[in-house]
Amino acid sequence: MALTSAHPAPLLLVRRLQALALTLALVAVASSARKIPDSITPISRDLYHSSDNILREIKALVARNSDRLTMDTVRASNKGYSAEMFVVTFNHAKGTVDDGSKIKIMLSFGQHGRELITSEVALSLLYILTEKHRIAGVDLSSFEKILENLVIKVVPMENFNGRKLVEAGELCDRRNGRGVDLNRNWSVDWGKKEKDYNPFEEDPGTAPFSEPEAQIMQELSKSFKPHIWVNVHSGMEALFMPYDHKNTTPDGAPSQLMRSLLENLNRRHFQDSCLVGSGGGAVGYLAHGTTTDYLFDVAKVPMPFTFEIYGDEKASTDDCFKMFNPVDKTTFDRVINKWCMAFLILFEEGLRILPGSQAASQGALDNWVPIGGEILERIADQKSGSENRQLEGLDLGMQELKTYFRLFMLSTFLLMFMFCSRISKNRNRESGNF
């Protein structure tokens, strides 16, 4: 009886060992199927954080700097697909400067899963805004006053699900977790396909804003109402403004202001080495349903941009990690430092160049002006609202007087000219009659 009762235990153990062996075999098959060829550059794990580690570091950073950082987790779902997004808000000098008088800036990183370097810039920038006060030996204390006049929202990993696919071995995938390109899922000119349309890379989804990630970002544009929005990508080095879906930039003063800001940034920081212009006109192809075009045409964000921060033109098109991300520490550090500094200069230029009419609802912010990269305080008396209105009325009156005076001078000149011409004709007639 003892032997009979003990017999099932070894049999059960054998079966469990067989099941374990089968599981290990399946794992081995799956691993071999997804093994990266030697000609393809893998993710540099010693340089790049995993998505989970980025999130862990940001949470710790927020906890240590709760006086100026907060983090919200936003979730959305559609037809069985869910997405989660982490939004970090930087708001310095909460108690000393009214939030309503600040310029609002939105920075989105990692919209395409394979562009890991963008999220590394986001993480480094958050450190610079809070704990790290130098970039490559440059003292950043002069930017403190600028930061007091800003509210900055940072989305470090817009496409969290797509990033997970890349980390699992799909190094060329730019889409979200169900195969949609989030930068084709917005409503302006949605669904249009060019002759070189790539269905794998540019699937726009079943409808505008069909994807939870795009829905979350659209809601942020409505609730936050930023003055400046930057969608950060990699693949080349460029500073783009609208439009993406056509080979033109918008008409009028807003377009001129955007171009002026980008050209100033390019000259001051990049020595005019970046490509500047509309995405559709400068990059070589048109893109439809993009974030930037929606933000400008529909959300009415005054200054929406797309920054391309790195690209290896020599890399094979199959070697996606190398094409979109630096793979050695020297280049990695250079890209991080260069673009973190670029964002600080962007903040400065934004404060300088945004006209009072666009920032009027938030309050005019023009107390700090750049001179050769240094920040000097403009000495000016703060006027009350009534005083400002009186000055504006006086200024308009002076402009009208100047206009009338110019018209008077022009009419006087024309009358004198006509009078002199008449006298000259009369003299010629008298001379002829003689």
Side-chain angles (χ1 to χ4, degrees):
M1 289 292 297
L3 289 175
T4 305
S5 61
H7 178 70
L11 182 61
L12 181 61
L13 179 60
V14 170
R15 288 177 177 173
R16 286 180 177 175
L17 288 173
Q18 288 175 338
L20 178 60
L22 179 61
T23 301
L24 291 174
L26 290 173
V27 170
V29 170
S31 299
S32 62
R34 300 173 66 180
K35 184 179 178 181
I36 299 173
D38 294 338
S39 60
I40 302 300
T41 306
I43 296 176
S44 307
R45 303 288 180 178
D46 56 332
L47 293 179
Y48 290 85
H49 296 77
S50 68
S51 52
D52 291 334
N53 284 340
I54 287 179
L55 183 57
R56 191 176 301 113
E57 282 202 33
I58 290 176
K59 286 181 177 179
L61 190 64
V62 171
R64 293 195 302 270
N65 298 275
S66 57
D67 60 325
R68 58 181 69 185
L69 288 183
T70 56
M71 188 172 83
D72 297 303
T73 303
V74 188
R75 299 176 180 87
S77 61
N78 182 31
K79 297 182 179 179
Y81 174 73
S82 300
E84 191 174 58
M85 201 172 294
F86 311 98
V87 184
V88 183
T89 303
F90 171 85
N91 190 359
H92 188 28
K94 292 181 183 178
T96 59
V97 180
D98 178 31
D99 287 354
S101 68
K102 297 183 179 183
I103 292 292
K104 297 179 179 180
I105 299 176
M106 183 81 190
L107 306 176
S108 174
F109 303 82
Q111 188 180 49
H112 288 155
R114 65 192 178 191
E115 298 164 11
L116 273 64
I117 185 60
T118 64
S119 296
E120 296 293 334
V121 172
L123 178 60
S124 294
L125 184 61
L126 288 172
Y127 273 111
I128 288 167
L129 293 175
T130 52
E131 297 179 354
K132 184 179 177 183
H133 303 296
R134 301 182 73 86
I135 300 178
V138 178
D139 185 10
L140 303 176
S141 58
S142 61
F143 284 93
E144 277 296 307
K145 285 294 183 180
I146 289 178
L147 296 179
E148 290 180 3
N149 289 317
L150 303 175
V151 177
I152 306 169
K153 283 191 182 294
V154 178
V155 178
M157 294 177 288
E158 180 181 331
N159 186 4
F160 192 75
N161 293 340
R163 163 116 183 189
K164 286 288 188 181
L165 292 175
V166 174
E167 292 175 344
E170 301 295 335
L171 299 181
C172 286
D173 207 333
R174 60 188 251 162
R175 307 166 301 169
N176 73 346
R178 63 174 171 189
V180 174
D181 183 348
L182 296 177
N183 204 28
R184 302 292 185 272
N185 193 232
W186 297 65
S187 61
V188 172
D189 217 35
W190 175 86
K192 185 176 180 179
K193 300 174 177 62
E194 295 294 319
K195 293 180 180 179
D196 59 350
Y197 168 73
N198 183 335
F200 176 80
E201 293 220 333
E202 298 182 89
D203 186 341
T206 57
F209 302 108
S210 62
E211 303 313 295
E213 297 93 340
Q215 293 170 10
I216 293 171
M217 297 304 289
Q218 181 195 33
E219 184 56 36
L220 282 173
S221 73
K222 293 179 179 179
S223 60
F224 186 48
K225 295 181 173 62
H227 298 95
I228 298 173
W229 183 307
V230 185
N231 190 10
V232 186
H233 287 267
S234 63
M236 60 191 306
E237 283 202 344
L239 306 170
F240 289 142
M241 57 186 283
Y243 287 109
D244 295 324
H245 71 282
K246 52 186 175 181
N247 187 13
T248 60
T249 56
D251 296 325
S255 178
Q256 293 300 319
L257 286 172
M258 283 189 283
R259 181 176 288 277
S260 177
L261 186 149
L262 294 182
E263 288 177 347
N264 289 345
L265 175 59
N266 194 29
R267 182 182 64 256
R268 286 183 58 186
H269 186 56
F270 296 103
Q271 292 76 50
D272 291 321
S273 63
C274 279
L275 194 61
V276 174
S278 72
V283 78
Y285 62 87
L286 300 181
H288 308 277
T290 67
T291 305
T292 302
D293 287 358
Y294 173 90
L295 293 172
F296 186 77
D297 272 358
V298 181
K300 304 302 180 185
V301 173
M303 292 190 172
F305 301 119
T306 298
F307 285 5
E308 296 273 355
I309 66 172
Y310 175 81
D312 186 345
E313 297 177 355
K314 297 179 180 179
S316 165
T317 55
D318 295 328
D319 197 357
C320 290
F321 183 76
K322 186 178 181 183
M323 178 181 291
F324 293 96
N325 306 277
V327 296
D328 64 272
K329 181 169 174 51
T330 300
T331 308
F332 178 89
D333 290 341
R334 176 177 57 80
V335 171
I336 296 291
N337 292 335
K338 179 168 66 173
W339 283 94
C340 283
M341 180 60 78
F343 281 111
L344 295 180
I345 296 175
L346 171 73
F347 301 158
E348 179 189 4
E349 286 288 336
L351 283 174
R352 183 185 66 81
I353 209 169
L354 272 170
S357 60
Q358 285 186 322
S361 62
Q362 313 299 329
L365 289 177
D366 200 22
N367 295 329
W368 303 90
V369 293
I371 299 179
E374 296 298 325
I375 311 304
L376 301 179
E377 187 171 3
R378 175 178 294 172
I379 301 173
D381 295 330
Q382 297 297 320
K383 304 294 182 182
S384 66
S386 60
E387 288 174 321
N388 281 333
R389 284 191 292 273
Q390 291 173 4
L391 288 173
E392 289 172 3
L394 180 61
D395 184 55
L396 287 172
M398 290 299 294
Q399 290 180 19
E400 290 181 1
L401 285 174
K402 289 177 181 178
T403 301
Y404 293 145
F405 180 73
R406 291 189 185 111
L407 290 172
F408 171 75
M409 292 298 294
L410 179 61
S411 60
T412 302
F413 173 79
L414 289 173
L415 287 171
M416 289 295 294
F417 177 77
M418 292 170 65
F419 180 72
C420 292
S421 298
R422 184 71 176 259
I423 291 175
S424 176
K425 287 180 179 179
N426 289 336
R427 285 180 177 176
N428 288 335
R429 287 172 183 170
E430 291 174 359
S431 176
N433 290 333
F434 182 76

